[in-house]
Amino acid sequence: MENTTTIIQQIEEKRIRVGKLLVFACFFMYATSMAAKGVFAAESKFIKELWQIKNYSLVSMTNTFYFIAYGLVQVILFFIINKINVHKYMICSIPFAAISMMLMGTVNNIYLMWLFFGLTGAFQAGIFCGCTYILTENLPIKLLSFGNKMMNI
């Protein structure tokens, strides 16, 4: 009986260690995706000057395309989240989000920037809800509160 209790405690301790790593990975993934998007907002004045764009509204529309795509995919995910395999969705969408984010560095006009920001918004839309869903499904009960706090910082 004592041996069984020890084994159960060891398993629970390992689940907590792995759970903390999972929380960190989800937080890091979400934070970096939001930070990368913020770089454009911080450099938008420089981009306007570099590409000699006369109207600043053309530059600011880039974030609008991101949020439109992000919002539409969020609404769609709300209705289908229980019908899809969230793990596979995350495995597929995260590399595409990273690729579209990297491709933004290669564009040389604002219209292509709109396209890549829209694609990035669509791919990143599932990262927050997907991470939260995965944490809820996989964390030990002791870590649920911690995971929720980290994802909502």
Side-chain angles (χ1 to χ4, degrees):
M1 182 70 173
E2 222 174 275
N3 193 20
T4 305
T5 306
T6 305
I7 291 172
I8 292 173
Q9 287 174 341
Q10 289 173 345
I11 291 171
E12 187 63 22
E13 288 172 6
K14 185 174 183 177
R15 287 190 71 220
I16 288 173
R17 281 195 309 270
V18 170
K20 287 181 180 177
L21 181 63
L22 182 61
V23 169
F24 173 76
C26 287
F27 172 77
F28 182 75
M29 180 176 24
Y30 183 69
T32 54
S33 67
M34 290 296 106
K37 187 191 78 60
V39 168
F40 176 82
E43 298 297 330
S44 59
K45 184 178 177 183
F46 174 74
I47 289 171
K48 179 184 177 290
E49 293 170 6
L50 178 69
W51 291 342
Q52 300 172 353
I53 300 170
K54 292 179 174 61
N55 191 350
Y56 189 76
S57 63
L58 289 176
V59 178
S60 63
M61 281 295 291
T62 306
N63 281 325
T64 304
F65 282 104
Y66 175 89
F67 285 114
I68 288 171
Y70 188 93
L72 288 174
V73 173
Q74 284 279 322
V75 170
I76 293 167
L77 284 174
F78 175 79
F79 291 107
I80 67 169
I81 194 87
N82 290 327
K83 297 174 181 139
I84 63 172
N85 183 329
V86 177
H87 296 89
K88 288 181 182 176
Y89 172 79
M90 295 287 288
I91 288 169
C92 292
S93 68
I94 290 169
F96 285 117
I99 290 167
S100 63
M101 184 68 75
M102 285 187 285
L103 287 174
M104 279 190 265
T106 66
V107 301
N108 59 3
N109 70 58
I110 196 66
Y111 303 109
L112 284 174
M113 188 65 81
W114 289 357
L115 173 70
F116 287 125
F117 250 73
L119 287 172
T120 301
F123 291 127
Q124 285 185 357
I127 291 177
F128 179 77
C129 63
C131 285
T132 304
Y133 184 87
I134 288 170
L135 290 175
T136 304
E137 292 288 315
N138 295 296
L139 284 182
I141 293 172
K142 290 179 180 180
L143 289 179
L144 283 177
S145 176
F146 171 69
N148 189 35
K149 288 175 188 172
M150 289 302 294
M151 288 304 294
N152 289 298
I153 285 181

